[in-house]
Amino acid sequence: MSWRVANACAERKFGSATRKQIIMFLADKASDDGSGIWCSKGTIQRHTELGETTVKRTIRDFLKEGILIETGARGCKNGFTVVYRIDLARIEALELTAEPDIETGATVDPVQTGPGTGATVAGVPGPPRPPNHPKTIHKPPTRERVAAEDEEAEKVLAAYPPDRVRGKADCLKRIREALDDGTEVEDLLQAVKAYATESAGFTRSKVCFSDNWFKSGRWRTYVEDIAKGREEAKVKEAEMLAGLANWVTDKHPLCRHITPGQIDALLAAELVTQAQIQAAGLRS
């Protein structure tokens, strides 16, 4: 456990309680430089008591944002576990949880920002007066962000079979709620396309209209299948890289079939070193 990494994460905002819970669990497993995090998504799920899909989606988001970096893989009873590193530079660039002190100048009858002593009754002090914070300003979403979110929702709905679209306003609302909950727009779009392909040729009595489809959450099954397929592909890729790494370390004759892109992937995953690549007669 690294107090340095844990404190750095605790003092930053990650956008949601779920993201904060997962990053704090990972920080508890890290070394002082953020490296050496070796725990499976199943372990994270058991300890945080979050859903499997939520954990996998959050880890993907952290990787995409550069907060987490894959540094390799270690064998375990189920095959292998990815080793992660928390990028401390990325963490320190995030917004602090502490509210900044902003000098607003003198005011008449200023609002008290610190705790008071409360009224006294028969010499007994009352409960402390809770502080209020007039400096806290809740910024509304910008027009640009709202426009972008509306465009994403429209794009998803446009992929639904047009003869089954019903209750457009309610559909767009449900889509935005799904995206706000953390569903990737591309995953939701692929889920709609998958349903459209699957239900092509259905009679009108067997199809599901868009308002009911989004309201009932039928898209979740498709999104989960997409996430599962992505994880399976990643496992296969890791297994393939592990086999190529064995070829390199053993200087196997089949090394000549390793492509430059695969060599770059091996080096990025730290499964082999530059010296081992050269010793096997390869060039990065």
Side-chain angles (χ1 to χ4, degrees), residues 251-269:
K251 301 177 185 178
H252 197 282
L254 291 176
C255 280
R256 66 180 182 275
H257 297 296
I258 300 178
T259 66
Q262 291 171 335
I263 294 173
D264 292 341
L266 288 170
L267 292 172

Side-chain angles (χ1 to χ4, degrees), residues 152-172:
E152 289 177 342
E154 290 276 4
K155 181 180 178 182
V156 171
L157 185 58
Y160 207 88
D163 60 324
R164 306 177 210 164
V165 174
R166 186 177 66 185
K168 181 177 178 180
D170 185 58
C171 290
L172 294 175

Side-chain angles (χ1 to χ4, degrees), residues 70-75 80-83 234-250 262-277:
E70 292 185 359
T71 59
R74 294 181 61 176
F80 76 97
T81 299
V82 177
V83 181
K234 185 175 288 188
V235 168
K236 290 180 179 178
E237 182 182 2
E239 291 174 348
M240 181 267 294
L241 288 178
L244 295 180
N246 289 333
W247 286 2
V248 172
T249 54
D250 295 341
Q262 291 171 335
I263 294 173
D264 292 341
L266 288 170
L267 292 172
E270 298 183 359
L271 295 176
V272 296
T273 64
Q274 187 69 49
Q276 289 173 316
I277 289 290

Side-chain angles (χ1 to χ4, degrees), residues 173-191:
K173 176 186 174 184
R174 301 287 180 183
I175 292 171
R176 282 192 291 268
E177 288 175 353
L179 298 179
D180 289 342
D181 286 341
T183 303
E184 294 287 347
V185 62
E186 286 302 322
D187 287 354
L188 189 53
L189 181 61
Q190 291 302 317

Side-chain angles (χ1 to χ4, degrees), residues 16 27-28 83 96 117 125 141 150-151 159 187-188 195 197 214 246:
S16 71
D28 185 59
V83 181
L96 290 167
T117 57
D150 288 344
E151 184 178 349
D187 287 354
L188 189 53
Y195 172 71
T197 301
F214 288 108
N246 289 333

Side-chain angles (χ1 to χ4, degrees), residues 65-278:
E65 296 162 17
I67 292 173
L68 277 185
I69 298 172
E70 292 185 359
T71 59
R74 294 181 61 176
C76 64
K77 63 180 181 180
N78 295 322
F80 76 97
T81 299
V82 177
V83 181
Y84 299 105
R85 174 172 65 85
I86 293 177
D87 190 332
L88 295 179
R90 289 275 187 178
I91 297 297
E92 291 169 357
L94 297 176
E95 182 183 355
L96 290 167
T97 56
E99 183 179 347
D101 291 330
I102 304 174
E103 296 298 332
T104 58
T107 61
V108 178
D109 296 330
V111 179
Q112 181 173 340
T113 58
T117 57
T120 60
V121 179
V124 179
R129 184 167 51 200
N132 50 28
H133 299 284
K135 301 171 187 177
T136 302
I137 301 175
H138 299 284
K139 296 181 180 179
T142 63
R143 291 183 180 179
E144 291 80 3
R145 195 186 83 185
V146 171
E149 291 174 349
D150 288 344
E151 184 178 349
E152 289 177 342
E154 290 276 4
K155 181 180 178 182
V156 171
L157 185 58
Y160 207 88
D163 60 324
R164 306 177 210 164
V165 174
R166 186 177 66 185
K168 181 177 178 180
D170 185 58
C171 290
L172 294 175
K173 176 186 174 184
R174 301 287 180 183
I175 292 171
R176 282 192 291 268
E177 288 175 353
L179 298 179
D180 289 342
D181 286 341
T183 303
E184 294 287 347
V185 62
E186 286 302 322
D187 287 354
L188 189 53
L189 181 61
Q190 291 302 317
V192 173
K193 291 180 178 179
Y195 172 71
T197 301
E198 177 185 292
S199 60
F202 281 11
T203 61
R204 193 172 180 83
S205 61
K206 293 184 178 180
V207 300
C208 185
F209 284 89
S210 58
D211 53 351
N212 288 332
W213 197 78
F214 288 108
K215 182 179 180 180
S216 62
R218 290 182 61 177
W219 52 269
R220 296 183 187 278
T221 301
Y222 294 91
V223 169
E224 289 172 358
D225 288 342
I226 291 169
K228 184 178 179 181
R230 187 183 294 118
E231 290 299 320
E232 289 175 350
K234 185 175 288 188
V235 168
K236 290 180 179 178
E237 182 182 2
E239 291 174 348
M240 181 267 294
L241 288 178
L244 295 180
N246 289 333
W247 286 2
V248 172
T249 54
D250 295 341
K251 301 177 185 178
H252 197 282
L254 291 176
C255 280
R256 66 180 182 275
H257 297 296
I258 300 178
T259 66
Q262 291 171 335
I263 294 173
D264 292 341
L266 288 170
L267 292 172
E270 298 183 359
L271 295 176
V272 296
T273 64
Q274 187 69 49
Q276 289 173 316
I277 289 290
Q278 294 175 351

Side-chain angles (χ1 to χ4, degrees), residues 4-28 37 57-59 61-63 65-68 85-98 180-182:
R4 177 173 181 263
V5 178
N7 287 339
C9 292
E11 294 173 353
R12 262 70 184 184
K13 293 182 179 180
F14 287 86
S16 71
T18 297
R19 286 165 59 92
K20 189 65 168 278
Q21 187 175 357
I22 291 176
I23 198 67
M24 290 304 299
F25 178 80
L26 295 174
D28 185 59
I37 302 172
R57 182 181 64 243
T58 304
I59 295 297
D61 290 344
F62 283 156
L63 290 169
E65 296 162 17
I67 292 173
L68 277 185
R85 174 172 65 85
I86 293 177
D87 190 332
L88 295 179
R90 289 275 187 178
I91 297 297
E92 291 169 357
L94 297 176
E95 182 183 355
L96 290 167
T97 56
D180 289 342
D181 286 341

